[in-house]
Structures are given as structure tokens and as C-alpha cells.
Amino acid sequence: MPTVVVIDNERDEVMRLGNLLEAAFPDWTVLPDRKLREQEPLQDWNAVVGYLLSVDDPDIVLCLDLSLGEFDWDDVKRGLRRASDFRADRPNWTLVAYTKNSLYAGSTPEFKSTFDGLLEKAELATKSSHESAVEHVRYVIEGARRRRGVPGTE
């Protein structure tokens, strides 16, 4: 079963998406373990790289916020560069942008060549029920895995 890794600098976003992923894919591993209260959200790219190097699974779905610091467009650009590096280093991973910045970032060629899917935080927040949010997450992740050509997702 795949492992889903949620990278976001806000604990409530890690908790929200992690809970939705666990409901959508109960047999999958979802990281980070949100039961460990002392684990702080990752807020710089070096910490993200270190964390990702510790994840040992060939079938990874990476849900990645593009802005880990104080929000500004330069931070989003850094996030796009890092995501592009992850794509180059891990071409078999499924990359899903989990962001508020899709209007800006989504229009760049780098975004389109890097990410297999997009979970827009604002769109997810508009879901009227937990069930509709779970269904939306499932739809986006399954579509991203199909686009990546993961075996068994045809």
C-alpha cells in the first residue's frame, strides 16, 4: 500500500489533510504521525528534505504546500523549485500540490511539469460535509496516481 506524506508549515493543515486521507484510504500509511504532539510542522526546505529522506517506501504520494515560510511570492517560487527537484530525484513519486497559491503557481510551466494533481485548500474548505471533503481528496489523489501511471490505477 502507498504512503502519503503531507508537508505543510501549519499544524492544522497537516491534521486536516491527514485525517481526510486516512478516511479516504484507510489501508494506506499517512505521515507524519499526527498522534505525536511534539512533532512540529516542517517550516524550512532543509528539514523537508531530511524528513523525506527518512521515508522508505517506493510508492509515495507527496502532498506538498508550496509556501513553508512567511507567505510571499518568493517563498512560493522556492517551493516550486524544490518540488521540481523532488520530481527529478524521485520520478516515480506522485506529487500533489496542497496549496492556497494555485492561481499564481499553477500558471507556470514548472508547476505543470512537476505536479500530478492539485488540492486547493480554499476549495477543500468549501466542502459542505466531511464525506464530501473525503470524496474530493480521494478523487484528486486517485486522478494524480493515474496521471503518474502508477500500476493498478488504470
Side-chain angles (χ1 to χ4, degrees):
M1 293 287 112
T3 296
V4 185
V5 180
V6 179
I7 302 294
D8 196 291
N9 63 326
E10 297 178 39
R11 183 185 300 276
D12 58 338
E13 293 291 351
V14 172
M15 296 293 288
R16 175 171 69 148
L17 183 55
N19 291 337
L20 293 170
L21 286 162
E22 284 179 345
F25 305 103
D27 296 331
W28 294 13
T29 300
V30 178
L31 298 174
D33 183 350
R34 289 157 331 281
K35 294 176 188 97
L36 301 175
R37 294 283 179 206
E38 66 277 3
Q39 185 167 329
E40 288 298 316
L42 299 170
Q43 299 185 338
D44 73 63
W45 291 107
N46 289 332
V48 169
V49 170
Y51 183 78
L52 292 176
L53 288 173
S54 74
V55 179
D56 186 26
D57 187 332
D59 190 359
I60 298 285
V61 177
L62 177 60
C63 297
L64 183 66
D65 185 7
L66 297 178
S67 178
L68 294 183
E70 292 299 318
F71 173 75
D72 63 39
W73 293 121
D74 287 334
D75 195 36
V76 174
K77 288 177 192 174
R78 281 189 296 277
L80 280 170
R81 278 194 304 274
R82 289 298 186 141
S84 181
D85 291 345
F86 296 149
R87 168 60 67 218
D89 292 343
R90 304 287 192 266
N92 296 326
W93 285 13
T94 302
L95 270 59
V96 176
Y98 180 53
T99 186
K100 300 174 195 168
N101 303 304
S102 65
L103 289 177
Y104 168 75
S107 64
T108 67
E110 194 172 30
F111 184 93
K112 293 173 181 163
S113 66
T114 299
F115 288 99
D116 305 302
L118 169 65
L119 273 170
E120 175 61 54
K121 292 177 183 180
E123 183 179 354
L124 194 56
T126 65
K127 299 302 174 188
S128 60
S129 68
H130 177 74
E131 292 76 19
S132 64
V134 168
E135 187 55 38
H136 179 69
V137 167
R138 183 182 299 113
Y139 175 80
V140 168
I141 299 295
E142 288 175 347
R145 287 174 53 81
R146 274 192 301 280
R147 276 188 287 293
R148 176 71 8 220
V150 176
T153 61
E154 299 79 27

